[in-house]
Amino acid sequence: VLTTNTKTHLDREVVLDRALELADSEGLAAVTIRRLAQELQVTPMALYWHFRKKDDLLAGLGDRLLGQIETPEPSEAPWAEQLRAILDALVGALRSHPAVAPLAAARILSCEAGRVLTERTLEVLAMGGFSTDEAANVAHRALQSMIVLVTDAPGVEPGVAPGDQKSHKRIKRVALASLSPDRYPRLVAAADALTSCADEAAYFDFGIALLVAGAVGLSPRS
Amino acid sequence: VLTTNTKTHLDREVVLDRALELADSEGLAAVTIRRLAQELQVTPMALYWHFRKKDDLLAGLGDRLLGQIETPEPSEAPWAEQLRAILDALVGALRSHPAVAPLAAARILSCEAGRVLTERTLEVLAMGGFSTDEAANVAHRALQSMIVLVTDAPGVEPGVAPGDQKSHKRIKRVALASLSPDRYPRLVAAADALTSCADEAAYFDFGIALLVAGAVGLSPRS
DNA sequence: ACCTGAACACCGTTCAAGT
DNA sequence: ACCTGAACACCGTTCAAGT
């Protein structure tokens, strides 16, 4: 009376589960209709019953990511602090599946969770004194920045399979370090810092802090 | 005694020229080996004499963009002002071929022009009091931010062919504007601002200003 | 309702062969 | 040195047909 997972019939959620695993282990490029069908022991065309096009499937992946966000409730904290908390929540969700993070960009205004996040961001920026247009602009930049922050985080070279990550980084670092120290003194000195990352948590905190500081700097209330 | 352009023999630069035109007019996705060969009235395999893989061709496109940058010389201006000038130069170059901008990210440390730009950025940030590691971090974020700033600029939805841009935007705007004003008051109010852009120049200035303000905010000298 | 077979129009890439 | 022919292993997608 066990449900064998070889024949539990297909399902939107089952497909997305497998696609997410595939993206995590082999990168987004490995997520193809045909490969996915193979993994699910089904014919490629079967997926077209559940998704109209591949884009719909990818949109589903983006929505999955954004759906994980637990957008912080309004609080009594200063607006900049609330902004930081929102971006923290976003980055936290994106980091759970970095390979899929780029897909979130296009879905942010198209799914429930993304709209809630954006609405709260606009609200917080209004507290900072930004006009509607300015707030929209800052919010857009903020969300996009967090996505690239995760997308090309230390461990994750974009489009490169998880296995080749380390060797890729090493090659880049060596190339930098062996540049002429006369022409590129700072590049050579920063070879390590530019290609790796000592503290991962610090990397994300810094990226978030940079954006919050920018918002504070441009805020009419400062 | 005219050189007919049907039979001037192939050449790395000729291929890149045509690829750039193709990307500009039909998007980066239209740049395929086979399509490019067709445009050049040559067989697909001919391109493999001039480029080892398609990635090399794309790298060439990225280098083209970065090669256009005229990195400002060191000056007596305040460091934040010099940073702004550097980012201005970068954005200016990227905007000449926005479809190709994403390719610049991977090439920034691999081509001459990109290295000069990065070196100067690190130098300017050192003037701002940043440590080597901090400067590397800020520089990385700055350059990546400018790339996405251009990549998803008002007129250019990523991956969408130039023709479908306007209708795409309209659909998004209508979807936003017709949301429940009770649940999403600010989203509805910002529907226009989030999906279009009144002043293009202002859009880029704002994106640059946001980053410079962030750097100023995090600078030990402030 | 849910899936398959067969087919179409695409990709990037290799390798031997032509001039 | 520079290009072609033929072939391979992939893609996404459609459409009629099966159960």
Side-chain angles (χ1 to χ4, degrees):
Chain A
V1 211
L2 291 169
T3 56
T4 70
N5 58 356
T6 55
K7 260 312 162 199
T8 156
H9 69 301
L10 228 44
D11 183 302
R12 243 179 153 274
E13 300 309 310
V14 173
V15 175
L16 290 175
D17 283 341
R18 200 80 200 79
L20 215 49
E21 288 178 36
L22 203 52
D24 286 341
S25 58
E26 302 185 31
L28 195 53
V31 179
T32 71
I33 295 286
R34 297 178 109 105
R35 173 70 188 278
L36 211 43
Q38 184 184 322
E39 304 265 341
L40 293 164
Q41 315 219 46
V42 95
T43 214
M45 300 76 80
L47 300 186
Y48 283 91
W49 180 260
H50 303 276
F51 301 91
R52 275 179 49 257
K53 324 200 90 193
K54 190 191 178 186
D55 286 5
D56 295 349
L57 198 157
L58 297 179
L61 289 181
D63 292 353
R64 271 284 180 94
L65 258 196
L66 294 170
Q68 291 183 16
I69 302 173
E70 299 185 23
T71 303
E73 294 295 320
S75 75
E76 298 299 320
W79 70 269
E81 198 49 44
Q82 295 196 54
L83 177 60
R84 200 195 52 73
I86 290 173
L87 299 183
D88 254 348
L90 173 60
V91 168
L94 296 176
R95 285 181 69 184
S96 66
H97 303 283
V100 176
L103 300 176
R107 299 299 300 167
I108 200 108
L109 294 178
S110 306
C111 76
E112 183 67 15
R115 285 193 289 248
V116 169
L117 185 87
T118 310
E119 176 74 21
R120 280 285 295 130
T121 306
L122 293 174
E123 189 182 341
V124 163
L125 290 171
M127 289 175 61
F130 289 100
S131 72
T132 297
D133 281 18
E134 289 167 336
N137 216 330
V138 174
H140 188 231
R141 296 253 60 76
L143 303 182
Q144 300 283 12
S145 292
M146 294 307 102
I147 287 168
V148 291
L149 185 69
V150 172
T151 288
D152 42 73
V156 201
E157 194 111 359
V160 178
D164 305 332
Q165 298 282 2
K166 268 170 283 183
S167 69
H168 237 252
K169 291 272 170 186
R170 210 195 61 245
I171 292 168
K172 264 196 166 182
R173 190 181 61 243
V174 172
L176 274 185
S178 58
L179 250 46
S180 155
D182 293 327
R183 299 193 41 148
Y184 305 110
R186 311 208 176 260
L187 225 42
V188 172
D192 272 27
L194 282 169
T195 53
S196 83
C197 172
D199 185 351
E200 196 165 318
Y203 166 86
F204 289 106
D205 283 346
F206 194 87
I208 293 171
L210 183 60
L211 202 125
V212 172
V216 169
L218 294 189
S219 160
R221 296 225 209 301
S222 73
Chain B
V1 211
L2 291 169
T3 55
T4 70
N5 57 357
T6 54
K7 261 311 160 197
T8 156
H9 68 300
L10 228 45
D11 184 302
R12 242 178 154 275
E13 299 308 312
V14 173
V15 175
L16 289 176
D17 284 341
R18 199 80 199 83
L20 214 49
E21 288 179 36
L22 202 52
D24 287 341
S25 57
E26 303 185 31
L28 195 54
V31 180
T32 70
I33 295 285
R34 297 178 109 106
R35 173 69 188 278
L36 211 42
Q38 183 184 323
E39 304 265 340
L40 294 164
Q41 316 218 44
V42 94
T43 215
M45 300 76 80
L47 300 186
Y48 283 92
W49 180 260
H50 303 277
F51 302 90
R52 276 179 48 257
K53 323 201 91 191
K54 191 192 178 186
D55 285 6
D56 295 349
L57 198 156
L58 297 178
L61 289 181
D63 292 352
R64 271 284 179 93
L65 258 196
L66 293 170
Q68 291 184 15
I69 301 174
E70 298 185 24
T71 302
E73 294 294 320
S75 75
E76 299 299 320
W79 70 269
E81 198 49 44
Q82 294 197 54
L83 177 60
R84 199 195 52 72
I86 290 174
L87 299 183
D88 254 348
L90 173 60
V91 168
L94 296 176
R95 285 180 68 184
S96 65
H97 302 284
V100 177
L103 299 176
R107 299 298 300 167
I108 200 105
L109 294 177
S110 308
C111 77
E112 183 66 15
R115 285 193 289 247
V116 169
L117 186 87
T118 309
E119 176 75 19
R120 280 285 296 127
T121 305
L122 292 174
E123 188 182 342
V124 163
L125 290 170
M127 291 174 61
F130 289 99
S131 72
T132 297
D133 281 18
E134 288 168 338
N137 216 331
V138 174
H140 188 232
R141 294 254 58 77
L143 304 181
Q144 300 284 11
S145 291
M146 295 307 102
I147 288 169
V148 291
L149 185 70
V150 172
T151 288
D152 43 72
V156 202
E157 194 111 1
V160 178
D164 306 331
Q165 299 281 3
K166 268 169 286 184
S167 68
H168 238 250
K169 291 269 172 190
R170 211 196 59 245
I171 292 169
K172 263 195 168 182
R173 190 180 63 244
V174 172
L176 274 185
S178 57
L179 251 46
S180 155
D182 292 327
R183 299 194 41 149
Y184 304 110
R186 310 208 175 259
L187 224 42
V188 172
D192 272 28
L194 282 169
T195 54
S196 84
C197 172
D199 184 351
E200 197 166 319
Y203 165 88
F204 290 107
D205 283 346
F206 193 88
I208 293 171
L210 183 60
L211 202 125
V212 173
V216 169
L218 293 190
S219 160
R221 296 226 209 300
S222 73

